[in-house]
Amino acid sequence: PCLVECRCEPTGNSSVAFSCVGVECPSEFEPPPEPGCYNVHEHGQCCSVKEICDSNSKEGEAEGKTPKEMCEYNNKVYQVGEQFYPEEASCLECICGPGFVGLLQEPFCRKINCSLELNYAERIMDGCVPVYFGNNDCCPHSWRCPDISDSVMPSESGSETKEVSASEKSCKFGALTMRVGEKLNPVTDGGGEWHCSCRVPPHPICVETRSPQENR
């Protein structure tokens, strides 16, 4: 859902948190548009602004249109105002518009806003870190929170893990401190395995991987 209004409100544990009102777009619960019809989107608008229907199908209609009236990307044709998500840029939302020449940039494409601080403020305050799926580093699908069973894995070189100095860049996860390159013990959730490592301090980055059998 899209967030249309957020307020900072007190919670029951003597703290405050964001309370947001979300809007579910009607088009998400309706059947897809009929052949020859499509939903028109605009950047900054939560839901589609209107539906356009023509007498001809998109393929037949495209034959009589100029390049300025449609967009072509990855061998697919989109009408002006039609929304698409490039597979190779998972964090971009694009809308076809006049002048599009295949470049994934403004004003046609914008980065998806995951609103982590608004949607997951409580988990962030609890020290949890987002879990991303594979190479998709856009919006997380889950969170890993500190647990008493967490531990820092021994380094691959086999040397003992030494105490991190105050001046050394490191990641914090609960009571644990990790050097850059060090990893947490992996955990399994829902058939996937979560691997967390200290890449860019001050927090570890977690990625879920699945076995080849599950990816089929």
Side-chain angles (χ1 to χ4, degrees), residues 90-91 112-116 131-133 136-142:
S90 60
C91 211
I112 296 174
N113 183 6
C114 302
S115 302
L116 297 184
V131 179
Y132 301 93
F133 185 75
N136 186 341
D137 58 353
C138 186
C139 298
H141 74 90
S142 190

Side-chain angles (χ1 to χ4, degrees), residues 58-78:
K58 184 187 301 184
E59 290 77 8
E61 181 182 325
E63 294 179 359
K65 285 197 168 186
T66 66
K68 291 184 178 180
E69 296 174 292
M70 61 183 184
C71 305
E72 184 175 350
Y73 189 78
N74 275 359
N75 298 319
K76 292 183 180 180
V77 175
Y78 302 93

Side-chain angles (χ1 to χ4, degrees), residues 97-176:
F100 179 79
V101 293
L103 300 179
L104 305 179
Q105 59 187 24
E106 292 272 10
F108 311 103
C109 299
R110 294 184 180 179
K111 186 176 181 180
I112 296 174
N113 183 6
C114 302
S115 302
L116 297 184
E117 293 80 2
L118 296 177
N119 288 321
Y120 305 102
E122 187 173 350
R123 294 194 178 185
I124 294 175
M125 292 176 64
D126 289 340
C128 306
V129 293
V131 179
Y132 301 93
F133 185 75
N135 295 324
N136 186 341
D137 58 353
C138 186
C139 298
H141 74 90
S142 190
W143 292 75
R144 178 172 177 175
C145 299
D147 186 82
I148 192 173
S149 63
D150 293 330
S151 62
V152 178
M153 301 290 289
S155 63
E156 296 181 357
S157 62
S159 59
E160 295 183 2
T161 301
K162 299 179 181 179
E163 186 176 345
V164 180
S165 63
S167 60
E168 189 176 357
K169 291 184 178 180
S170 59
C171 296
K172 291 287 293 183
F173 186 70
L176 301 177

